[in-house]
Amino acid sequence: MPSDTHRADERRFLDERGSSATLAPNGLNPATIMEKAVRERIVDSYFWKEQCFGVNEADIVDRVAAHVSFVGGTYGVGQRPAPFLCLAFKLLQLAPGDDVLAAYLRHGGDRFKYLRALACFYVRLTRRPDAVHRLLEPFLEDRRKLRRKGRAGTSLTFVDQFVDDLLTKDRVCATSLWQMPKREVLEDLELLEPRTSPLGDIEDLLEEDEDDDVDMNGGGENGGSGGDSDEEGLIEEDRSERRRSYSRDRSRSREGRVVDRSYESGSDGR
């Protein structure tokens, strides 16, 4: 059968005797990267039969924009495969090149944020460790929101958190990720350059925070004592003014009483 002919059930890709597709860049068979139970659920799902038949790399963009509204593996009581997982399995079958993946990753609008997440997931499944870090680490600064749906229900996540899970966790979206060497090992092998955080050197930041705390504490003690003395002086002045006004009021009231008494005595004598 010609290679450009599609079967309705796509069974040739899932043949137990092996796959006609070439191995992924990391040396894994793309047909067996996902577990057998997950693959069977994907192939038997309605979304796979309706939306993933005869799809090429360009159609993936339309399918993601129209049908993918959350990231996830299997969800619900029946553990149905999510459209995100079905399209990831379709990418394993299509095996797009690096130029196509770069085009997927460049799409930056909110409409295509799930396309970027899908491309990151596929990169983690098929690329070599150094390529995975080089391609995914720039998106650790992507703060856009994503919906994640799983067995526990729907939750909120972010693109940078999803990418961090791909780099650090062993299982994401109902898929066991192949174990990569740590970044420190790749740096020792000179496959990667040391990563610089966008915030700068952590040690320098900690030293600056300590200096700021010392300055604030020292300035607060001096400034606080000066402030207290000024306030005490103002309070003393207010008290003295109140005492003076009170004494003046008392003297006036006494003078008024003396005048009244003298007036009353004069009137009585008359």
Side-chain angles (χ1 to χ4, degrees), residues 25 57 91 95-107 115-116 118-124 126-127 135 139:
E57 290 87 346
L91 284 179
D98 294 338
D99 54 345
V100 178
L101 287 177
Y104 288 166
L105 295 172
R106 278 198 305 268
H107 285 285
L115 178 63
R116 174 174 288 180
L118 179 65
C120 292
F121 184 62
Y122 177 75
V123 167
R124 177 64 177 85
T126 59
R127 289 319 189 247
L135 291 173
F139 304 115

Side-chain angles (χ1 to χ4, degrees), residues 55-75:
V55 174
N56 56 22
E57 290 87 346
D59 296 330
I60 293 292
V61 180
D62 298 332
R63 296 296 189 274
V64 171
H67 300 284
V68 177
S69 59
F70 60 90
V71 297
T74 56
Y75 67 97

Side-chain angles (χ1 to χ4, degrees), residues 18-229:
S19 173
S20 60
T22 58
L23 297 179
N26 57 4
L28 300 178
N29 187 351
T32 58
I33 288 179
M34 294 184 180
E35 292 87 343
K36 182 178 179 180
V38 176
R39 298 197 305 264
E40 291 178 351
R41 288 178 179 175
I42 290 175
V43 175
D44 292 337
S45 65
Y46 180 76
F47 181 83
W48 175 267
K49 295 176 180 178
E50 183 185 26
Q51 300 295 336
C52 298
F53 173 70
V55 174
N56 56 22
E57 290 87 346
D59 296 330
I60 293 292
V61 180
D62 298 332
R63 296 296 189 274
V64 171
H67 300 284
V68 177
S69 59
F70 60 90
V71 297
T74 56
Y75 67 97
V77 179
Q79 294 300 299
R80 294 188 301 168
F84 180 87
L85 190 64
C86 294
L87 292 174
F89 187 67
K90 189 64 181 180
L91 284 179
L92 290 173
Q93 182 181 5
L94 295 174
D98 294 338
D99 54 345
V100 178
L101 287 177
Y104 288 166
L105 295 172
R106 278 198 305 268
H107 285 285
D110 287 340
R111 185 183 178 189
F112 298 104
K113 60 184 178 181
Y114 290 101
L115 178 63
R116 174 174 288 180
L118 179 65
C120 292
F121 184 62
Y122 177 75
V123 167
R124 177 64 177 85
L125 294 177
T126 59
R127 289 319 189 247
R128 296 179 61 83
D130 53 343
V132 170
H133 283 279
R134 281 196 298 267
L135 291 173
L136 298 190
E137 284 180 353
F139 304 115
L140 291 173
E141 302 178 11
D142 194 342
R143 303 293 190 270
R144 289 178 297 174
K145 297 179 181 179
L146 295 175
R147 292 177 61 198
R148 172 175 284 179
K149 184 177 290 188
R151 295 182 180 180
T154 305
S155 59
L156 177 66
T157 186
F158 301 88
V159 176
D160 57 344
Q161 184 177 354
F162 180 72
V163 173
D164 184 71
D165 292 343
L166 293 176
L167 294 174
T168 57
K169 292 187 177 181
D170 297 329
R171 188 173 180 84
V172 177
C173 295
T175 305
S176 297
L177 306 177
W178 66 281
Q179 188 175 3
M180 290 194 313
K182 295 184 178 180
R183 201 185 196 285
E184 292 79 5
V185 177
L186 299 176
E187 292 178 1
D188 294 337
L189 295 175
E190 297 183 354
L191 296 175
L192 289 176
E193 296 292 333
R195 182 173 180 268
T196 303
S197 174
L199 299 176
D201 192 359
I202 301 299
E203 296 180 356
D204 295 340
L205 292 175
L206 293 175
E207 291 178 357
E208 291 179 359
D209 292 339
E210 292 178 356
D211 295 338
D212 293 339
D213 293 338
V214 171
D215 295 338
M216 291 178 63
N217 292 331
E221 292 176 356
N222 297 329
S225 61
D228 293 340
S229 62

Side-chain angles (χ1 to χ4, degrees), residues 195-266:
R195 182 173 180 268
T196 303
S197 174
L199 299 176
D201 192 359
I202 301 299
E203 296 180 356
D204 295 340
L205 292 175
L206 293 175
E207 291 178 357
E208 291 179 359
D209 292 339
E210 292 178 356
D211 295 338
D212 293 339
D213 293 338
V214 171
D215 295 338
M216 291 178 63
N217 292 331
E221 292 176 356
N222 297 329
S225 61
D228 293 340
S229 62
D230 294 339
E231 291 178 357
E232 289 177 357
L234 293 175
I235 292 172
E236 291 295 335
E237 292 179 357
D238 293 338
R239 289 178 180 175
S240 61
E241 290 292 335
R242 290 176 182 175
R243 290 174 181 173
R244 292 173 184 173
S245 61
Y246 180 71
S247 61
R248 286 196 296 268
D249 293 337
R250 290 186 64 184
S251 62
R252 290 176 183 175
S253 61
R254 288 176 181 176
E255 292 177 356
R257 290 176 184 175
V258 172
V259 171
D260 293 337
R261 289 177 182 176
S262 62
Y263 179 75
E264 290 177 357
S265 61

